[in-house]
Amino acid sequence: IEQVEEFDWGDSTRHGQVTITCLPSQHWSKRGLNDDQMSLWSSWAIEGRERNFYFGGDTGYFNGFSRIGEALGPFDLVAVPIGAYEPSAMMKESHMNPEEAIQASIDLGAQKTMAMHFGTFDLSDEDLAEPPQRFLAAAASSSLDAEDAWVLRIGETRRF
């Protein structure tokens, strides 16, 4: 890989009409044996002329979502992680449960929210089928419209 740009939280780059901004998330980082917390774990805002998208990456719930929403929102679509949250005592700092993912979406000013980071690998104690069910139920009982919370099937696409 030859064209690499390193970013700190808050750094942006522009590619044509699109601005990509590196933003905080709440997780740990490790790439080798002796490099704990030596790199950032990030989320991203992608701002175009007509649409704004937020990619949450791998993160626990934290108050940064509200700050990001105030600074760069609202977002037309956010992608938030909803899996690998049990046992909560061990996973809470680095992974959101589905209800927290809906709250993060609201904090970000999401028009639509899309679930990610679930059901591929058995990383934690919850049943693999549980996260999307709880995500949709949490959306239905929130200020988001139920049809604006997406759980896509493998290979599915949607326009927004």
Side-chain angles (χ1 to χ4, degrees):
I1 301 173
E2 295 179 6
Q3 295 182 358
V4 175
E5 293 181 55
E6 291 186 11
F7 291 89
D8 197 348
W9 291 335
D11 289 350
S12 296
T13 188
R14 226 170 136 70
H15 293 279
Q17 306 251 345
V18 175
T19 301
I20 301 168
T21 304
C22 178
L23 297 164
S25 66
Q26 180 174 286
H27 206 282
W28 49 268
S29 64
K30 183 176 184 69
R31 295 291 182 226
L33 293 176
N34 298 310
D35 65 352
D36 290 13
Q37 310 298 12
M38 299 292 288
S39 60
L40 293 178
W41 205 268
S42 300
S43 62
W44 301 89
I46 297 114
E47 301 169 87
R49 288 183 314 170
E50 297 179 18
R51 301 265 194 259
N52 290 340
F53 172 66
Y54 174 83
F55 179 80
D58 196 1
T59 184
Y61 181 81
F62 72 119
N63 62 9
F65 293 117
S66 293
R67 290 192 306 271
I68 292 166
E70 290 169 8
L72 298 172
F75 291 95
D76 298 292
L77 176 64
V78 302
V80 287
I82 67 166
Y85 49 82
E86 291 294 341
S88 178
M90 184 173 91
M91 305 301 262
K92 186 169 187 61
E93 291 302 311
S94 55
H95 295 137
M96 292 190 280
N97 66 39
E99 294 78 16
E100 290 168 327
I102 291 296
Q103 185 59 55
S105 300
I106 292 167
D107 294 349
L108 290 160
Q111 302 301 309
K112 297 185 184 310
T113 183
M114 178 175 64
M116 65 173 189
H117 192 280
F118 71 96
T120 305
F121 301 103
D122 194 1
L123 298 174
S124 57
D125 291 347
E126 75 271 1
D127 184 271
L128 289 175
E130 180 181 286
Q133 295 167 351
R134 283 179 56 180
F135 179 75
L136 294 173
S141 64
S142 77
S143 60
L144 291 171
D145 290 331
E147 65 269 5
D148 291 332
W150 298 350
V151 176
L152 279 66
R153 297 179 309 276
I154 294 172
E156 180 181 357
T157 60
R158 293 194 190 178
R159 293 193 179 276
F160 73 97

